């Protein structure tokens, strides 16, 4: 679904969705004195320091409206003060960080042995002056038995309603963009008072981190980017392109792994979509009817490609779609509900509209899809959002603020070969403008995801001594 952000997924969306699966749903309360007190199911820790930073909603307007940025410092387990903390920039855009399971994950992370870890909810998200957002409406739309055109009309009405809610609260959606987001990070680093920081970005968090790297270079010791995303992409076209590229690689993988005479994954893919287009699949999910139309099937198949096991399990999901459902399909749908509990769709759309929506965007969704034969029907949710958000607001950030400068800050970049969101070419583009950057393309499936022991050891060694030669023998590298 989204370029989301931060590693989540145990079985289904291990990439950016891992922590969502672990998260217990919670209801945001009014801003208390201590953010820590408001995070449901958070186990108290004397080494947690919570706070709120006030920043301008419009960084170009003096004495204007202020909004809040909520943050949490997980102080190092070491007895000495951390000199160069680890700042986590979440993906999405729209993913909250200040929820119990995410905090618990980072609390026991090996990075914390010697460094403080800084987590925060970006502007418009979670505890940081959150934008009015939709959850139940979104889930209802994807569960409904409607055509893609009907979905587009419902989305337009939904976005019209939420734009009115923002207007009533004097929230200007054009101020929720990556450039202002990066300015917030600079103010946060200034407030916290450390001399240097290590920034770690995942998916959308890499764009944010790369901009921070340019705007506040004096603050940055190292940068670590997991699954780099680019400015200049289009919120629909590039999703279709990346999905198609990853799917083609999986088809090629399947041809090598299986006897194509007995099993043709490409053929099965089109057969399933044609069958569901002729007769939508109806399943019972948690006691309610859930309809899967052809556009929904593409949406869910793309979502499956987030998982590290997608090369092996995509054929199983296609069989489930052929045979009335199954555990993988149920887990995917449950994942959408878990995602919605900690994700702000209004923030996601605001940033997409400001930063990832091309001025010359094709008017007709069907014409966009003509360029991608592996997407024979509209992609659920994204196509509707693409055309629904077109007139949501007029972006204000100039194009020159969406360009990366040449940088010499030590940078470590990883990306997976089969990534359906951020393909390896993104890593190559990042490397072009970062002198001496380390780029590792992993011969793996999925999007983003938390690092394992091997990757953790490499990034810790990299932060300790950015100039050293890294030992990467434990990585599953792809050599072109």
């Amino acid at each position: 679904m989204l370029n989301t952000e931060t590693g989540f997924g145990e079985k289904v969306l291990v990439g950016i969705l891992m922590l969502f699966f672990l998260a217990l749903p919670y209801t945001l309360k009014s801003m208390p004195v201590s953010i820590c007190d408001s995070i449901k199911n958070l186990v108290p820790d004397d080494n947690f320091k919570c706070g709120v930073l006030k920043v301008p909603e419009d960084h170009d307007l003096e004495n204007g409206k202020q909004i809040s940025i909520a943050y949490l410092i997980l102080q190092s387990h070491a007895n000495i003060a951390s000199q160069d903390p680890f700042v986590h920039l979440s993906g999405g855009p729209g993913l909250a960080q200040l929820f119990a399971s995410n905090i618990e994950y980072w609390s026991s992370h090996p990075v914390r042995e010697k460094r403080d870890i800084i987590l925060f909810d970006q502007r418009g998200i979670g505890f940081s002056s959150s934008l009015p957002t939709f959850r139940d409406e979104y889930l209802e739309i994807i569960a409904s038995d409607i055509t893609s055109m009907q979905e587009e009309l419902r989305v337009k009405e939904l976005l019209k309603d939420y734009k009115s809610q923002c207007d009533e609260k004097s929230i200007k959606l054009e101020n929720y963009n990556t450039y202002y987001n990066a300015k917030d990070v600079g103010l946060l680093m200034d407030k916290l008072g450390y001399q240097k920081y290590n920034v770690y970005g995942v998916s959308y968090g890499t764009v944010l981190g790369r901009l921070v790297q340019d705007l506040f270079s004096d603050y940055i010791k190292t940068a670590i980017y997991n699954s780099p995303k680019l400015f200049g992409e289009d919120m629909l076209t590039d999703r279709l392109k990346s999905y198609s590229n990853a799917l083609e690689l999986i088809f090629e993988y399947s041809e090598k792994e299986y006897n194509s005479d007995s099993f043709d994954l490409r053929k099965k893919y089109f057969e399933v979509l044609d069958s569901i287009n002729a007769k939508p699949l109806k399943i019972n999910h948690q006691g309610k009817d859930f309809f899967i139309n052809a556009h929904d099937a593409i949406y869910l198949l793309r979502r499956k490609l987030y998982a590290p096991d997608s090369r092996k399990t995509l054929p199983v999901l296609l069989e489930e779609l052929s045979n009335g459902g199954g555990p993988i399909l149920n887990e995917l749908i449950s994942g959408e509900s878990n995602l919605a509990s900690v994700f702000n769709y209004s923030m996601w759309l605001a940033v997409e509209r400001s930063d990832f929506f091309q001025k010359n965007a094709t008017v007709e969704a069907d014409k966009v899809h003509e360029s991608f034969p592996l997407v024979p029907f509209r992609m659920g949710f994204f196509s509707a959002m693409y055309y629904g958000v077109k007139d949501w607001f007029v972006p204000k950030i100039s194009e020159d603020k969406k360009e990366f400068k040449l940088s010499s800050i030590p940078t470590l970049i990883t990306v997976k070969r089969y990534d359906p969101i951020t393909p390896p070419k993104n890593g190559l583009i990042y490397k072009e403008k970062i002198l001496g950057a380390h780029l590792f393309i992993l011969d793996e499936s999925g999007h983003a995801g938390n690092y394992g022991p091997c990757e953790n050891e490499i990034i810790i060694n990299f932060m300790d001594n950015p100039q050293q030669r890294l030992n990467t023998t434990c990585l599953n590298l792809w050599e072109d």
Side-chain angles (χ1 to χ4, degrees), residues 134-186:
F134 43 91
R135 176 190 176 185
D136 293 339
E137 301 97 325
Y138 149 71
L139 295 171
E140 180 183 344
I141 287 174
I142 65 171
S144 299
D145 184 15
I146 55 178
T147 66
S148 59
M149 292 302 297
Q150 290 171 327
E151 182 179 71
E152 181 179 324
L153 293 174
R154 288 182 65 172
V155 163
K156 285 181 177 179
E157 287 301 311
L158 178 65
L159 297 187
K160 182 179 178 181
D161 176 43
Y162 276 86
K163 176 63 165 61
S164 296
Q165 291 186 40
C166 289
D167 290 343
E168 290 172 4
K169 296 176 180 292
S170 298
I171 295 171
K172 296 193 178 299
L173 289 168
E174 61 268 27
N175 290 325
Y176 293 81
N177 55 66
T178 307
Y179 183 74
Y180 284 176
N181 210 353
K183 297 282 255 184
D184 295 344
V185 177

Side-chain angles (χ1 to χ4, degrees), residues 18-123:
M18 175 179 163
L19 296 174
F20 288 159
F21 273 40
L22 300 175
L24 295 172
Y26 65 92
T27 302
L28 296 181
K29 302 176 182 179
S30 59
M31 189 69 69
V33 175
S34 171
I35 298 299
C36 289
D37 292 340
S38 71
I39 300 173
K40 188 174 181 180
N41 300 310
L42 180 64
V43 178
D45 188 319
D46 292 337
N47 292 318
F48 289 176
K49 292 177 63 177
C50 295
V52 176
L53 171 68
K54 293 291 185 180
V55 301
E57 185 189 51
D58 185 341
H59 279 280
D60 295 324
L61 183 63
E62 292 185 12
N63 302 318
K65 177 183 175 182
Q66 299 262 301
I67 59 174
S68 298
I69 303 297
Y71 64 87
L72 168 63
I73 303 173
L74 309 177
Q75 293 179 299
S76 169
H77 293 307
N79 293 325
I80 59 173
S82 174
Q83 298 300 313
D84 56 307
F86 178 93
V87 183
H88 186 265
L89 308 174
S90 64
L95 172 61
Q97 289 213 70
L98 303 184
F99 58 93
S101 61
N102 185 46
I103 295 168
E104 289 164 7
Y105 169 81
W106 287 107
S107 294
S108 59
H109 197 279
V111 164
R112 196 182 174 205
E113 290 302 315
K114 294 191 295 184
R115 287 179 173 84
D116 294 351
I117 296 177
I118 300 169
L119 307 176
F120 71 100
D121 285 342
Q122 297 166 24
R123 61 170 46 213

